């Protein structure tokens, strides 16, 4: 094994996720392929096996606990990068329909090859979230939309909330968030037919703090959103 099975099982249990032997083997393959591919294309600064387990895999599994996602739900990970949190959720949560978006195709080449070597099934789409949010096949189609470490909350909200079904949730995952970013983000929720549902601070296995903010979608988003990237960054909501 490349990663420590004991560490992975313990970290997953901290988020109430019980991993099968098959899932453990898949995480081991994931870590090996991530470190290999990272020699060619920069996907992550974290390459130590224990750190991959704690900072990437377990933190991604926190999504399962705090979002309450269950079999039959659809889910898109916006800006999946090296697959976080989308691929750990795909491995560990049975029966969830997983879509992975990223604006950079080189990263998705890694994800396509990984998902195929794990024998799993996901929609892997080279697209910017704010373009997907205008397309009928993606707009207001997902039960859950998440993004980890992608952009400031008010910008991220405009990328992500147009993709959420009415009644669904947007789940923002970050290392930490300032009070100002939070207040601006919550103001953006209301312009996008949504309201704050939960604000969770939790710790990963090494004691580092992480933040999840959840918005519930209560009504349709105005057709003027999402705007294009230039407008979003020039005048964030
Ligand atoms: N979510 C991963 C993680 O937690 O390790 C990757 C984080 S990385 C810092 C940000 C990723 O978001 C990059 O892969 C980038 O290409 C992608 N990204 C940024 N803005 C995006 C957008 N508007 N639509 C789709 N992907 C985007």
């Amino acid at each position: 094994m490349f990663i420590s099975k004991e560490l992975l099982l313990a970290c997953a249990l901290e988020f109430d996720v019980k991993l099968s032997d098959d899932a453990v083997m898949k995480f081991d393959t994931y870590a090996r392929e991530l470190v290999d591919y990272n020699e060619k294309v920069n996907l992550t600064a974290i390459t130590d096996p224990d750190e991959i387990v704690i900072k990437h895999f377990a933190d991604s599994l926190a999504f399962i606990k705090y979002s309450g996602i269950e079999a039959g739900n659809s889910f898109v990970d916006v800006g999946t990068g090296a697959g976080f949190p989308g691929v750990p959720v795909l491995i560990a949560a049975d029966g969830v329909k997983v879509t992975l978006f990223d604006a950079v195709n080189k990263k998705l080449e890694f994800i396509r090859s990984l998902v195929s070597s794990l024998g799993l099934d996901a929609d892997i789409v080279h697209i910017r979230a704010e373009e997907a949010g205008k397309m009928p096949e993606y707009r207001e189609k997902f039960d859950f939309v998440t993004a980890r470490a992608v952009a400031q909350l008010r910008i991220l909200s405009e990328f992500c909330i147009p993709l959420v079904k009415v009644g669904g949730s947007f789940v923002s995952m970050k290392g930490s968030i300032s009070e100002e970013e939070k207040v601006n983000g919550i103001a953006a929720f209301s312009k996008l037919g949504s309201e704050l549902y939960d604000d969770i601070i939790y710790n990963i296995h090494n004691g580092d703090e992480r933040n999840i903010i959840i918005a519930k979608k209560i009504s349709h988003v105005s057709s003027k959103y999402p705007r294009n990237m230039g407008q979003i960054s020039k005048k964030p909501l």
Side-chain angles (χ1 to χ4, degrees), residues 56 79-81 84 102-104 107 127-130 148-150 159:
H56 281 326
T80 194
F84 306 118
D102 205 283
V104 176
K107 300 191 181 188
I127 198 163
R128 293 197 62 90
E130 67 277 17
R148 192 183 83 143
V150 172
F159 288 165

Side-chain angles (χ1 to χ4, degrees), residues 191-233:
K191 296 174 189 157
L192 296 162
S194 303
E195 61 185 21
L196 179 67
Y197 176 73
D198 216 345
D199 177 6
I200 301 149
I201 293 173
Y202 63 96
N203 296 94
I204 53 173
H205 194 74
N206 65 356
D208 288 355
E209 216 170 80
R210 294 284 186 272
N211 174 249
I212 284 183
I213 291 187
I214 303 180
K216 275 272 178 226
K217 181 92 165 261
I218 47 180
S219 58
H220 293 290
V221 167
S222 157
S223 58
K224 64 182 180 205
Y225 302 122
R227 297 165 295 162
N228 65 41
M229 185 56 208
Q231 294 166 306
I232 295 175
S233 52

Side-chain angles (χ1 to χ4, degrees), residues 166-178:
V166 174
S169 304
F170 161 51
V171 181
S172 158
M173 302 181 75
K174 282 176 177 274
S176 62
I177 184 166
S178 69

Side-chain angles (χ1 to χ4, degrees), residues 34-52:
L34 176 65
V35 170
D36 267 7
Y37 203 88
N38 206 49
E39 311 247 310
K40 297 179 279 173
V41 174
N42 185 23
L43 292 169
T44 177
I46 297 168
T47 53
D48 171 74
D50 285 355
E51 288 206 356
I52 292 174

Side-chain angles (χ1 to χ4, degrees), residues 134-193:
K134 295 183 195 110
M135 296 166 64
E137 66 260 55
Y138 299 122
R139 186 177 174 87
E140 301 197 320
K141 287 291 186 291
F142 297 92
D143 297 306
F144 291 88
V145 178
T146 192
R148 192 183 83 143
V150 172
Q152 270 203 32
L153 189 58
R154 59 183 175 165
I155 292 180
L156 196 59
S157 298
E158 190 166 350
F159 288 165
C160 292
I161 293 176
L163 299 164
V164 183
K165 270 182 194 169
V166 174
S169 304
F170 161 51
V171 181
S172 158
M173 302 181 75
K174 282 176 177 274
S176 62
I177 184 166
S178 69
E179 202 48 40
E180 186 192 3
E181 180 179 349
K182 201 183 288 184
V183 168
N184 290 337
I186 293 167
F189 294 167
S190 64
K191 296 174 189 157
L192 296 162

